[in-house]
Structure formats: C-alpha cells, structure tokens
Amino acid sequence: MKFFGDYHTHTKESDGKGSVLDNILSAQNYGLEEVAIADHSFSTLACNMTREKFQLQEDEIARYYETCKDPIKVLHSVEGNLLGFDGDIDIPDDIIERVDILHIGFHRFVDFGNAFKNSKYIFVNGYGSNGAKEKIKALNTEGYLKAMDKYPVDVIVHPGHRCPIDMKAICEKATEKGVYLELNEKHVETLEKDADIIVESGVKLIVGSDAHKPERVGRFARVDQFIEKYSVPLDRVFALNPTFKTKKG
C-alpha cells in the first residue's frame, strides 16, 4: 500500500532521537506528503513537553517552510496523556489552541503528582494484573468518552494499549465526534481482538509510525499487514484516502 502521511512521530524534544527537521526531511525523502510531530505531553515523566520546547518546534517548522522550495505539509501536535477516569488531559488550553492536530492516549509514565492523584488509573492500568484491568474497563472507557466531549480530540493513539477499553463504545463515540482511531505501527497488535468491531463500526482510522528515530518515519509494514488481514476498508484509512479533517479544518 502507498501511504502518503505519517501522523505520529517523536523528536529529541521528548524521547526521540532526531530533530523536527530530521523527521520532516526523512518523511519528505521517503515520499510522504504529510507528517505530524507529536511529542510526549506536559506531565510525561522525564521527557515532558514545555511551552519553550513547543515554541522551538513551531519556529523550526516555520523555518522549514521558509527555506524549502517544495515543502510537505507538517502538522504540529502534542501526544496528550489521559490522566484519569474523568477524561482530563495534560495539555494546557493555550497549547490546545495552537496545535494543528490533537492526539490523546494512555501512558504509564506521568509525573508523580498526577500518578498518585490518579493512582488507580495509572498503576492498575499500567502495571496491574489482567484481572484487575478487566474490573476497570468500564471506568477507562468512560474516561475516553468524557475526553472526547471535553476536548477537540482528533486522534486516539494506540487505543487499548495497556488500558483496556470497550472498543464498541469508543468506536461509537469516535464516529459521533469525528475522532480517528490510530493504527499504530508499534502497537497495532493491541487491536487484533477488536478488529471485527472496528471494521463493522464504520469508525475512521489514521496511521502513525510512532517513530522515535527519523529513519522509522513512514514505515508501516505491520499496519499494512493488519489492514490486509482484517479487510479494513481502505476508504476509511486516512493516509490511503485523503479525507482527513482536523477539528480546525
């Protein structure tokens, strides 16, 4: 399959290895037309986003557009952390207003203040037993549903990874809200058990390499296999079918 965009990449401003420009040039050289920079968010432990880092990234993207004669499209984002069952995320309102595309998802490694404030959410989902995880699936699902109501979410990253959810309910709300579920190259196996639900739901999908090295940008071998194995309709996969609309248009 020919993918024309990668909508989830990381740089050295969080836990990636390259710069914003490294990722952009890698995407461009690989033949992509679009790429998203989506570094880890403000409460992420050890490699968090800051307003200063965000501004540096904005400036680097602006310089790329100014100096490149034939630029590809660059979307600036933050990979926000869903912090608990109430649906709150850790991206300040002023940054939400500035991003081109808004990603959210569950991550274990958030700062100690948020981790202990939301200890059942973070420690049971991130580290608990399978039995314990099953007991909070409904609460996890409610957190995602509330987040989609509270914020202009564009993409749910690696849904279900380390955080069990009711995929049918998530797909229904995402379809209602125009939110894309991510086919994540690193974690696409998480969706295997819910593949039939996803296909039957009609929910829109988007691809992300989750690349932490520039040379991994745009590589989608496992996503390609997933799409083929489960007969995912190609017209619902953005980066194969150019219909992607962010909340900002």
Side-chain angles (χ1 to χ4, degrees), residues 82-99:
L82 191 60
L83 295 175
F85 306 127
D86 58 4
D88 285 343
I89 63 174
D90 64 343
I91 307 177
D93 290 343
D94 61 301
I95 300 297
I96 291 176
E97 292 177 0
R98 291 165 65 182
V99 296

Side-chain angles (χ1 to χ4, degrees), residues 25-155:
L25 293 180
S26 181
Q28 189 168 14
N29 293 336
Y30 196 60
L32 299 185
E33 299 175 27
E34 300 184 355
V35 65
I37 307 298
D39 274 308
H40 289 293
S41 194
F42 285 74
S43 70
T44 302
L45 193 63
C47 58
N48 59 294
M49 179 55 63
T50 66
R51 286 180 172 84
E52 291 75 19
K53 288 180 181 180
F54 191 84
Q55 184 63 57
L56 288 171
Q57 291 187 329
E58 280 192 337
D59 293 343
E60 193 167 1
I61 293 168
R63 284 195 298 272
Y64 165 72
Y65 278 125
E66 290 169 0
T67 58
C68 183
K69 293 181 179 179
D70 188 22
I72 64 172
K73 185 175 182 179
V74 183
L75 296 166
H76 194 193
S77 182
V78 176
E79 186 184 6
N81 295 304
L82 191 60
L83 295 175
F85 306 127
D86 58 4
D88 285 343
I89 63 174
D90 64 343
I91 307 177
D93 290 343
D94 61 301
I95 300 297
I96 291 176
E97 292 177 0
R98 291 165 65 182
V99 296
D100 300 311
I101 171 176
L102 181 61
H103 296 71
I104 69 164
F106 172 80
H107 298 87
R108 294 187 293 178
F109 301 117
V110 299
D111 62 55
F112 296 117
N114 280 301
F116 286 105
K117 179 182 177 182
N118 302 283
S119 59
K120 183 176 181 181
Y121 181 72
I122 298 298
F123 294 121
V124 175
N125 278 307
Y127 305 93
S129 68
N130 288 334
K133 288 179 180 179
E134 284 300 314
K135 294 177 182 178
I136 63 170
K137 180 185 287 188
L139 292 172
N140 291 339
T141 301
E142 191 65 21
Y144 275 101
L145 301 183
K146 288 178 178 178
M148 285 187 272
D149 282 331
K150 287 183 176 184
Y151 303 102
V153 178
D154 289 303
V155 178

Side-chain angles (χ1 to χ4, degrees), residues 152-202:
V153 178
D154 289 303
V155 178
I156 293 177
V157 298
H158 40 69
H161 178 59
R162 292 200 176 102
C163 180
I165 53 176
D166 179 339
M167 188 62 73
K168 183 177 180 181
I170 297 296
C171 287
E172 288 175 354
K173 174 65 82 169
T175 301
E176 173 194 335
K177 290 289 187 177
V179 175
Y180 292 74
L181 299 193
E182 183 188 45
L183 300 178
N184 183 291
E185 176 69 9
K186 292 173 65 177
H187 304 297
V188 72
E189 77 285 347
T190 304
L191 301 179
E192 295 268 352
K193 60 182 175 50
D194 292 318
D196 290 343
I197 293 172
I198 292 167
V199 170
E200 293 170 6
S201 72

